[in-house]
Amino acid sequence: MHILVIGAAGMVGRKLVAKLARDGGPGGRAIDTLTLVDVVPPAVPEGFSGSAEAVTADLSAPGEAEALVARRPDIVFHLAAVVSGEAEADFDKGYRINLDGTRYLFEAIRQEGLKAPYKPRVVFTSSIAVFGAPFPDRIHDEFFTTPLTSYGTQKAIGELLLSDYSRRGFFDGIGIRLPTICIRPGKPNLAASGFFSGILREPLAGREAVLPVSEDVRHWFASPRAAVGFLVHAAEVDTAALGDRRNISLPGLSATVGEEIAALRRVGGDKAVALIRREPDPTIARIVAGWAQDFDTRRAEALGFRAETSFDAIVRAHVEDELGGVVGG
């Protein structure tokens, strides 16, 4: 089996690659080749028994998608994207990476299949940002996509392309709308949602964090552990059960910022909570106000997707996976 991971140097990409190298492909199948791609050099996993190649490439550059697809991977994980805040700040870059890169990839697969039969599984990471206010109390998969950000618009177009290319039989695609991933390890990024992780990650490590919105802001979350599980399961799920509706909203946890902080207090104590500094940011507040807060994910759950059911579990997963089980660094 040959697996191509585009966006392999990102946080979720690195964790996905580590799991694939450790546990094998979907269904435990042996992986002969891992091709890892990003705009910065991805790390090759240690101890992997197959062939692993790190490729530095920009999917939106001419010829790059064709070169990657010419190797005919069996599974393509498309994780590469410019995050929400950066896509909003840099209109051209957001559309070039998030839309053009995605279309080039899909079209390269189609063209490769015209040479000789070829139909890989394509797992596309979409986002709950494809939905825009006003919302029902809980959003179901049939709710219309009216994104209120450039990032959400780019992901929504990607979803439409994936469904159409799958309908036409060019590849076997599934688009997974990830919740906001929390707690993201490492340094803060330019995502408008970054503070959701920051107000937990930094205090757990003994550092100060900034909270730019009020504590009654509600959002939809899942952990990095859950995100990797989503990706692997998407690669093996029976897409016949999806029909032509190839994009699904994944399970998560609806919680307020106040509930996040309460979980931080239970796991990290009052000392950790005291490190959160309130600093209102109207721009961030405006963007977040247009995001979905709760989802009806019975369709995804029926297909076997699973996530955490408490914020305490999300916080503890971070402490175990990133801090060696120790709060306060």
Side-chain angles (χ1 to χ4, degrees):
M1 174 183 288
H2 179 185
I3 295 181
L4 168 63
V5 181
I6 303 170
M11 183 273 292
V12 174
R14 293 194 305 271
K15 289 181 177 291
L16 171 63
V17 169
K19 181 173 178 59
L20 293 172
R22 181 181 65 246
D23 299 339
R29 293 171 59 191
I31 301 173
D32 302 309
T33 305
L34 274 173
T35 301
L36 313 177
V37 182
D38 215 313
V39 292
V40 297
V44 173
E46 296 181 3
F48 176 58
S49 60
S51 171
E53 180 182 7
V55 178
T56 304
D58 180 347
L59 194 64
S60 67
E64 296 290 358
E66 292 84 350
L68 295 172
V69 171
R71 308 178 190 193
R72 294 192 160 226
D74 302 289
I75 298 173
V76 178
F77 290 102
H78 179 25
L79 285 66
V82 170
V83 295
S84 55
E86 189 174 5
E88 198 68 12
D90 191 332
F91 186 86
D92 292 332
K93 184 177 183 180
Y95 272 89
R96 179 172 60 82
I97 301 298
N98 295 345
L99 177 56
D100 295 344
T102 296
R103 183 170 180 272
Y104 293 164
L105 172 65
F106 292 176
E107 184 60 16
I109 294 172
R110 184 178 80 91
Q111 292 297 327
E112 186 66 23
L114 294 176
K115 302 173 186 176
Y118 176 56
K119 190 176 179 180
R121 170 66 58 91
V122 175
V123 180
F124 170 61
T125 51
S126 188
S127 167
I128 59 174
V130 299
F131 300 109
F135 304 116
D137 290 339
R138 301 188 77 199
I139 298 174
H140 50 75
D141 278 3
E142 292 78 19
F143 189 69
F144 50 81
T145 55
T146 52
L148 298 177
T149 63
S150 294
Y151 175 78
T153 300
Q154 293 146 14
K155 287 295 187 180
I157 298 171
E159 287 191 359
L160 289 171
L161 291 172
L162 178 126
S163 290
D164 197 38
Y165 276 65
S166 295
R167 180 183 65 83
R168 296 295 300 268
F170 303 136
F171 54 67
D172 183 16
I174 177 170
I176 55 175
R177 297 179 186 127
L178 295 177
T180 288
I181 302 304
C182 183
I183 303 167
R184 298 183 68 92
K187 297 179 180 180
N189 62 19
L190 294 176
S193 60
F195 72 89
F196 286 121
S197 286
I199 62 171
L200 302 174
R201 179 187 60 239
E202 306 308 317
L204 286 169
R207 299 187 293 265
E208 188 179 70
V210 172
L211 174 60
V213 302
S214 66
E215 290 190 19
D216 62 356
V217 167
R218 179 174 290 277
H219 197 53
W220 186 244
F221 302 97
S223 73
R225 277 188 191 176
V228 172
F230 294 154
L231 287 160
V232 172
H233 189 62
E236 62 187 5
V237 72
D238 180 8
T239 52
L242 294 171
D244 291 331
R245 297 160 56 218
R246 289 297 179 122
N247 300 283
I248 56 175
S249 300
L250 297 184
L253 175 68
S254 178
T256 65
V257 169
E259 289 167 341
E260 277 194 80
I261 294 171
L264 174 63
R265 178 174 280 109
R266 287 189 292 270
V267 177
D270 291 338
K271 183 178 179 181
V273 173
L275 290 169
I276 299 173
R277 185 177 81 248
R278 275 71 174 171
E279 192 174 293
D281 184 325
T283 300
I284 295 295
R286 176 184 55 81
I287 292 174
V288 173
W291 288 349
Q293 301 177 357
D294 199 359
F295 286 81
D296 180 345
T297 58
R298 283 176 291 181
R299 182 170 174 239
E301 291 167 21
L303 291 168
F305 290 95
R306 298 289 182 267
E308 293 83 9
T309 57
S310 76
F311 226 107
D312 290 47
I314 289 177
V315 176
R316 291 194 181 100
H318 178 79
V319 172
E320 292 167 7
D321 293 351
E322 307 298 335
L323 302 179
V326 179
V327 175

